Amino acid sequence: IREFIMEQTHIPDHTHSHAHAGKTDDIIICRDVHKWYGEFEALKGVSMTVKRGEVVVIIGPSGSGKSTFIRTINRLEEHQSGEIIVDGITLSHDIRNIAEIRREVGMVFQQFNLFPHLTVLENVMLAPIHVRKWDHAHAHERAMHWLNRVGIPEQADKYPGQLSGGQQQRVAIARTLCMEPHILMFDEPTSALDPEMIKEVLDVMRDLAVSGYTIVAVTHEMGFARTVADRVIFMDGGLIVEENTPDDFFANPKSERTKLFLSQILTH
């Protein structure tokens, strides 16, 4: 079961503490990142810096490389060239560095990946007990704290199959937060939800954003990008085409490609 937990939560079973190369205000630094799948180049030299406490929203058409890009940041996808530094730790083939970075970065996916045979509370407590080595009482206290924070403490004793999609995604967010990451990454967290459930998940993300978390979110939710992001990045064809503050990005897009994309998705 331990291997299954690691696979589902994407948290490695490591307790090694690797020395940080020096922390700065730039918590994520990506320089000229390239990623190939065989002959196909999914990322064609992506460079991005994220400051501590900043909320960055990445948008773009399907297949633009945005999900692949954020998955390289904690080595869910391996990049072939370029440099990625997370909170002073350079991402390399060294398993210790990968373990350190994965402890820093919490990831919320499109699919909830909850264990159906465990209660909501047990799902949230599982990784802290097995990976962080917390005792049951501490894990229980922190799990209930985060279930309160995402607004579903009353669901603690239910099973995932008894919850709506929006509630299941909020459980997945609580599970991620219970591991106490410094950075939160969201990979299209509302894409699998019915429209009426999207708002409840976005409300949780808004609450986390104003709480000072560093957040990188891939999403199609333009309202969230407009109101919550410090910066919006538009990707297409494996490249960053444009980035700006939300006001300037939506009101005065510079690139013709950005203008076309926005004209197709925004209703005026």
Side-chain angles (χ1 to χ4, degrees):
I1 190 170
R2 289 171 67 80
E3 288 75 12
F4 194 51
I5 294 166
M6 304 313 148
E7 179 185 338
Q8 289 299 311
T9 59
H10 300 278
I11 307 290
D13 190 10
H14 272 267
T15 54
H16 178 89
S17 180
H18 186 73
H20 288 221
K23 295 188 178 184
T24 68
D25 282 344
D26 295 333
I27 196 167
I28 301 172
I29 301 168
C30 302
R31 298 189 184 110
D32 196 28
V33 175
H34 290 257
K35 166 72 182 173
W36 283 269
Y37 294 103
E39 297 294 308
F40 175 68
E41 190 174 11
L43 301 175
K44 301 175 181 176
V46 177
S47 297
M48 176 189 77
T49 301
V50 179
K51 295 198 175 299
R52 208 173 294 276
E54 188 178 18
V55 179
V56 175
V57 171
I58 304 176
I59 65 173
S62 180
S64 60
K66 54 193 188 296
S67 290
T68 299
F69 174 52
I70 69 165
R71 289 168 69 92
T72 63
I73 294 172
N74 66 344
R75 192 49 76 90
L76 293 178
E77 296 280 359
E78 183 177 349
H79 66 292
Q80 276 83 31
S81 67
E83 187 174 32
I84 297 174
I85 303 168
V86 179
D87 209 6
I89 310 161
T90 299
L91 183 59
S92 66
H93 291 291
D94 187 334
I95 190 66
R96 293 169 301 177
N97 289 31
I98 296 170
E100 276 288 319
I101 286 171
R102 287 187 178 172
R103 276 200 296 275
E104 299 269 350
V105 179
M107 191 92 163
V108 178
F109 300 91
Q110 215 173 12
Q111 304 301 328
F112 321 124
N113 297 327
L114 300 175
F115 294 99
H117 63 291
L118 299 180
T119 66
V120 164
L121 182 61
E122 289 167 341
N123 267 281
V124 178
M125 291 172 60
L126 195 62
I129 287 173
H130 285 270
V131 181
R132 292 269 188 215
K133 310 301 184 189
W134 290 355
D135 63 50
H136 188 277
H138 181 56
H140 184 281
E141 185 272 321
R142 297 313 295 161
M144 286 307 303
H145 167 81
W146 289 114
L147 288 172
N148 269 289
R149 183 70 179 269
V150 301
I152 49 172
E154 74 285 354
Q155 307 296 343
D157 295 325
K158 292 185 180 177
Y159 290 89
Q162 297 174 278
L163 274 54
S164 70
Q167 289 170 330
Q168 289 188 60
Q169 187 61 289
R170 285 190 279 165
V171 174
I173 293 171
R175 178 185 59 188
T176 297
L177 290 166
C178 205
M179 288 296 292
E180 300 183 344
H182 295 161
I183 300 163
L184 295 173
M185 295 202 296
F186 294 89
D187 189 3
E188 300 192 16
T190 60
S191 292
L193 300 179
D194 292 333
E196 66 269 19
M197 296 174 189
I198 290 173
K199 181 182 181 297
E200 64 192 62
V201 173
L202 292 178
D203 285 346
V204 170
M205 293 171 65
R206 286 190 178 92
D207 176 54
L208 295 171
V210 300
S211 299
Y213 277 96
T214 303
I215 294 176
V216 180
V218 170
T219 182
H220 296 293
E221 301 299 329
M222 295 301 124
F224 179 81
R226 280 181 185 271
T227 58
V228 179
D230 296 304
R231 189 156 41 110
V232 180
I233 290 176
F234 173 63
M235 287 186 69
D236 189 37
L239 290 164
I240 290 178
V241 175
E242 188 165 343
E243 58 181 299
N244 214 327
T245 62
D247 287 349
D248 287 337
F249 182 88
F250 288 106
N252 301 298
K254 306 291 188 290
S255 157
E256 290 302 318
R257 182 67 189 91
T258 309
K259 291 176 185 175
L260 176 62
F261 178 77
L262 291 177
S263 73
Q264 290 171 334
I265 62 164
L266 295 179
T267 54
H268 298 284

